[in-house]
């Protein structure tokens, strides 16, 4: 875990001169996290107001309902507009910095001593450059579009949910912790396998580059079939290493979907029991169902981010090794 955190910090550090703009986008993500938290709270208040108005209708209750609905619409529109702007400017930032890092990398490998180039294949260096900058771009965009708001949501949603109703909040926290531990365990089991996959990809790129770069020799010695056969052998090794990793990732996907059903069902059952005892309102149950759905969505984003970082780690490590 520490290794991945260090790697991710290094990825973010490469934003370089875009740091101030990145800070503005980060603050915007924090504001959106707060706005998204308000929506299920307002929904619960609306349900409680409607329930109260049915038993004791009054002008005051309906005025309160109109204000709650107006606030709900306002927060929703703000989240949509702000989210769109963040996505737009995050894309622009990531593209600018991607090309900047790519040119810096290209200059760096040209300035490396001749002895270094004699020990490493040029096709591998180009592969590392293209895949590395692609990985950086994807992680930068994902950070500002989804990952940061997902992480902030945990720090916003869980503490505030404890203030609203600690009983239902504990259900969310316990189930989230279980999901996180299982995910971390699965990631640890498949880490070495993914590194092996990337080694086979590098071997594939080097072999293909060698063959195409010496196409005249390949034809003159009638080695077309032999080279194709050699490439297929590398592909078979790659697939043999990749399939177990895909199986572990499929397990995470199943675990995520199951956690959605289990969490919402737990909120409904425990909430119903607490409602009969008079310590939870119907609106609070609805609010925490919204929290559960939001939390699972953020967990899915976090798992997607973890999967991506896990996949990109060998490529990024090769990129940083060259730097």
């Amino acid at each position: 875990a520490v290794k991945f955190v260090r790697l991710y910090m290094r990825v973010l550090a490469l934003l370089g001169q875009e740091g101030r703009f990145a800070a503005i986008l980060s603050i915007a993500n924090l504001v959106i996290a707060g706005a998204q938290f308000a929506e299920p709270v307002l929904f619960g208040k609306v349900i409680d107001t409607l329930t109260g108005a049915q038993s004791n209708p009054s002008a005051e209750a309906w005025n309160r309902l109109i204000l709650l609905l107006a606030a709900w619409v306002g927060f929703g529109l703000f989240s949509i507009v702000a989210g769109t702007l963040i996505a737009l400017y995050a894309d622009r930032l990531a593209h600018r910095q991607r090309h900047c890092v790519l040119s810096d990398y290209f200059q760096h490998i040209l300035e490396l001593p001749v002895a270094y180039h004699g020990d490493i294949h040029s096709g591998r260096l180009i592969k590392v450059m293209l895949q590395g900058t692609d990985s950086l771009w994807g992680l930068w965009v994902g950070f500002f579009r989804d990952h940061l708001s997902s992480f902030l949501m945990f720090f916003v949603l869980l503490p505030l949910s404890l203030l609203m109703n600690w009983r239902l909040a504990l259900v969310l926290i316990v189930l989230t912790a279980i999901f996180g531990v299982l995910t971390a365990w699965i990631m640890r089991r498949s880490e070495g396998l993914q590194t092996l996959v990337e080694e086979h990809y590098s071997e594939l790129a080097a072999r293909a580059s060698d063959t195409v770069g010496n196409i005249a020799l390949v034809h003159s010695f009638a080695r077309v079939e032999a080279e194709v056969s050699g490439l297929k052998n590398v592909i078979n090794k790659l697939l043999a290493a990749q399939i177990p990793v895909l199986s572990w990732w499929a397990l995470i996907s199943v675990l995520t979907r199951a956690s959605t059903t289990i969490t919402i069902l737990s909120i409904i059952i425990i909430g119903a029991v607490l409602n009969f005892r008079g310590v939870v309102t119907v609106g609070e149950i609805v609010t925490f169902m919204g929290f559960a759905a939001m939390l699972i969505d953020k967990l899915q984003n976090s798992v997607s981010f973890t999967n991506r970082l896990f996949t990109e780690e060998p490529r990024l490590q090769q990129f940083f090794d060259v730097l």
Side-chain angles (χ1 to χ4, degrees):
V2 174
K3 180 178 72 172
F4 281 107
V5 170
R6 288 176 179 172
L7 181 68
Y8 197 46
M9 290 300 101
R10 193 167 183 184
V11 168
L12 295 180
L14 279 180
L15 286 170
Q17 60 187 9
E18 299 285 354
R20 179 178 296 180
F21 192 36
I24 295 173
L25 289 176
S26 299
I27 294 171
N29 270 278
L30 178 59
V31 175
I32 283 185
Q36 290 176 337
F37 174 83
E39 292 185 44
V41 174
L42 290 169
F43 189 23
K45 298 292 185 183
V46 167
I47 296 298
D48 280 339
T49 302
L50 285 173
T51 304
Q54 284 181 340
S55 58
N56 184 24
S58 64
E60 182 182 350
W62 290 110
N63 288 334
R64 174 179 168 81
L65 178 63
I66 291 172
L67 288 174
L68 288 171
L69 289 173
W72 191 4
V73 171
F75 276 111
L77 289 175
F78 172 78
S79 297
I80 292 171
V81 173
T84 302
L85 290 174
I86 287 175
L88 175 64
Y89 285 103
D91 264 345
R92 293 181 179 180
L93 180 151
H95 275 291
R96 286 198 304 268
Q97 198 60 18
R98 172 194 193 179
H99 295 136
C100 179
V101 172
L102 189 147
S103 61
D104 288 344
Y105 176 98
F106 185 69
Q107 180 180 347
H108 176 71
I109 60 174
L110 290 180
E111 293 173 347
L112 288 171
V114 176
Y116 177 84
H117 289 280
D119 295 332
I120 191 168
H121 195 281
S122 58
R124 181 183 291 260
L125 283 175
I126 298 303
K127 167 187 169 291
V128 169
M129 179 179 72
L130 296 178
Q131 288 190 344
T133 50
D134 280 349
S135 298
L136 290 170
W137 173 83
L139 289 173
W140 288 333
V141 169
F143 176 77
F144 292 112
R145 279 188 175 182
D146 301 309
H147 307 154
L148 181 57
S149 62
S150 296
F151 292 135
L152 289 174
M153 184 59 69
F154 291 120
F155 293 104
V156 172
L157 190 150
L158 293 178
L160 291 180
S161 64
L162 281 169
L163 294 176
M164 291 188 61
N165 190 297
W166 64 268
R167 298 172 181 85
L168 293 177
L170 285 178
V171 177
L172 287 178
I173 292 172
V174 169
L175 292 174
T176 301
I178 293 173
F179 179 84
V181 169
L182 290 175
T183 301
W185 178 77
I186 292 173
M187 289 297 179
R188 191 174 184 85
R189 291 294 301 270
S190 53
E191 179 180 353
L193 294 173
Q194 184 61 32
T195 301
L196 182 61
V197 169
E198 290 305 318
E199 289 176 359
H200 289 314
Y201 270 119
S202 294
E203 183 184 352
L204 184 67
R207 187 176 190 114
S209 178
D210 268 341
T211 303
V212 174
N214 295 281
I215 192 68
L217 288 174
V218 170
H219 279 281
S220 63
F221 286 94
R223 287 194 52 83
V224 172
E225 291 185 6
E227 293 299 329
V228 171
S229 177
L231 193 70
K232 287 181 178 179
N233 287 335
V234 176
I235 291 173
N236 290 334
K237 291 178 184 178
L238 192 156
L239 288 175
Q242 183 73 80
I243 289 174
V245 177
L246 297 177
S247 299
W248 284 113
W249 289 351
L251 181 59
I252 290 179
S253 178
V254 171
L255 181 64
T256 304
R257 292 173 185 172
S259 66
T260 305
T261 302
I262 293 171
T263 303
I264 293 178
L265 188 60
S266 299
I267 292 293
I268 293 173
I269 294 173
I270 296 174
V273 173
L274 294 174
N275 179 256
F276 289 143
R277 295 181 179 178
V279 294
V280 171
T281 66
V282 175
E284 286 179 327
I285 295 174
V286 172
T287 294
F288 272 85
M289 287 175 63
F291 284 168
M294 186 182 298
L295 188 62
I296 295 302
D297 178 62
K298 300 306 178 184
L299 282 172
Q300 288 175 334
N301 285 339
S302 298
V303 168
S304 175
F305 155 71
T306 306
N307 278 343
R308 176 151 199 166
L309 183 59
F310 181 76
T311 304
E312 306 291 0
E313 187 267 340
R315 299 173 184 175
L316 289 169
Q317 196 57 61
Q318 290 175 356
F319 184 84
F320 288 130
D321 286 344
V322 173
L323 288 182

